[in-house]
Amino acid sequence: MIAFSEKLIEKLSGAQRVVFLTGSGISAESGIPTFRGNEGLWKNFRPEELANFKAFIKNPARVWEWYQFRRDIILSAKPNAGHLAIREFEKFFPSVTVVTQNVDNLHRLAGSSNILELHGNIMKNYCIRCSKRYDFQTFENSLSSPKCECGGLIRPDVVWFGENLNESVFAEAEDTVASADIVFVAGSSNIVYPAALLPQHAVNNGVYTVEINIERSELSGVLDEVLLGPSGTVIPELIKKIAGQK
Ligand code: APR
């Protein structure tokens, strides 16, 4: 059993608006590799060759194949106890928002109602010429990068390195974080910007911030609390504690 601080329990007892800022670590227990760290994807693949527009134009088939590889992993993954416990928060708090850097769709599959996908969603795609949108099922098994009816290349609807995030999504994330009663920062190394600005934005607005991670991250020092442990254990234990209190 994890001994949660009195401060955290007190903050939660009066909370109306709860926000979860999540990164790939929250999906690690679903069998989806994170990006950094020992087993991270960037250990065996180079992001500059796979996760940016120039690389896509240079070798669309290679980039498409990489996203099909990741989709295959994600399609066989299920939401884990951490995703499901976050959804459970909606039973105890009037407003729960998930702001995720993940593109794996697992928060949606877990049933969370309010999700902001900062880096897009790997199951969605669009034509780079006419912007027509395509679900991944349209060409589930094609390895070579598919073409739109207009002849344009189709790309995954994810934010690549060097690309801007959707402005309105990020602005909504900033407002949501600034007006929260408590923000959990779960499963992120907090080194990729502008997503990593959000925990700091919470702190700057006097919001109580709690990190949930298996190790300290770049921002542990500025957050109010650090709960060390796998999110698939910590968040379910927290919701059990909350349920017991109510
Ligand atoms: N529970 C909680 N945290 C975990 C777990 C777990 N079971 N397993 C790993 N972690 C933590 C790691 O300690 C690390 O701090 O998750 C974090 C994963 O960090 P990254 O691999 O850097 O992933 P993330 O922070 O989501 O990366 C941000 O970088 O490559 C881009 O677009 C990509 O959205 C991604 C962004």
Side-chain angles (χ1 to χ4, degrees):
M1 265 307 263
I2 300 169
F4 296 108
S5 72
E6 271 171 37
K7 181 92 178 165
L8 173 56
I9 298 305
E10 179 226 322
K11 285 287 174 188
L12 279 168
S13 59
Q16 299 290 311
R17 289 175 304 283
V18 177
V19 174
F20 283 87
L21 298 176
T22 66
S24 64
I26 192 143
S27 297
E29 291 161 89
S30 295
I32 297 178
T34 59
F35 293 96
R36 297 165 187 87
N38 308 339
E39 320 295 315
L41 283 172
W42 298 146
K43 269 263 166 311
N44 309 314
F45 298 95
R46 293 163 52 82
E48 50 281 3
E49 283 169 13
L50 294 163
N52 75 43
F53 188 71
K54 236 168 56 222
F56 176 66
I57 295 301
K58 192 161 150 242
N59 190 342
R62 172 93 177 88
V63 172
W64 187 260
E65 198 184 318
W66 153 250
Y67 279 91
Q68 286 295 79
F69 157 71
R70 286 183 60 199
R71 275 193 198 98
D72 290 347
I73 296 172
I74 288 168
L75 284 170
S76 56
K78 292 216 178 355
N80 63 56
H83 296 103
L84 297 173
I86 288 174
R87 193 261 333 265
E88 286 299 293
F89 266 73
E90 295 181 19
K91 290 187 182 145
F92 300 98
F93 298 92
S95 159
V96 180
T97 308
V98 176
V99 179
T100 188
Q101 298 173 79
N102 301 342
V103 297
D104 61 28
N105 215 36
L106 290 185
H107 284 299
R108 201 175 305 285
L109 289 178
S112 283
S113 322
N114 308 306
I115 304 168
L116 295 173
E117 292 174 318
L118 297 177
H119 293 167
N121 185 314
I122 201 168
M123 300 305 169
K124 296 177 185 162
N125 308 274
Y126 64 88
C127 169
I128 63 171
R129 181 185 292 174
C130 72
S131 307
K132 183 172 179 337
R133 309 195 67 75
Y134 290 86
D135 276 342
F136 81 95
Q137 287 92 341
T138 321
F139 25 69
E140 200 160 354
N141 303 316
S142 74
L143 271 188
S144 62
S145 78
K147 287 257 175 71
C148 174
E149 294 136 14
C150 78
L153 284 169
I154 295 173
R155 60 165 283 180
D157 188 4
V158 296
V159 177
W160 279 332
F161 285 104
E163 293 185 325
N164 293 329
L165 275 63
N166 176 306
E167 266 171 41
S168 61
V169 170
F170 192 71
E172 187 180 346
E174 283 182 309
D175 294 347
T176 306
V177 153
S179 58
D181 296 305
I182 189 162
V183 168
F184 292 98
V185 187
S188 182
S189 56
N190 294 313
I191 59 173
V192 171
Y193 284 79
L197 288 174
L198 293 171
Q200 187 64 63
H201 191 55
V203 171
N204 296 348
N205 281 274
V207 178
Y208 198 70
T209 51
V210 182
E211 177 158 58
I212 297 170
N213 202 314
I214 53 173
E215 61 189 14
R216 293 179 69 82
S217 78
E218 286 292 301
L219 292 181
S220 297
V222 303
L223 303 178
D224 292 298
E225 274 197 55
V226 178
L227 297 175
L228 287 179
S231 48
T233 303
V234 173
I235 306 175
E237 287 217 9
L238 186 52
I239 202 66
K240 232 189 288 172
K241 177 88 179 167
I242 293 162
Q245 306 265 329
K246 296 272 179 182

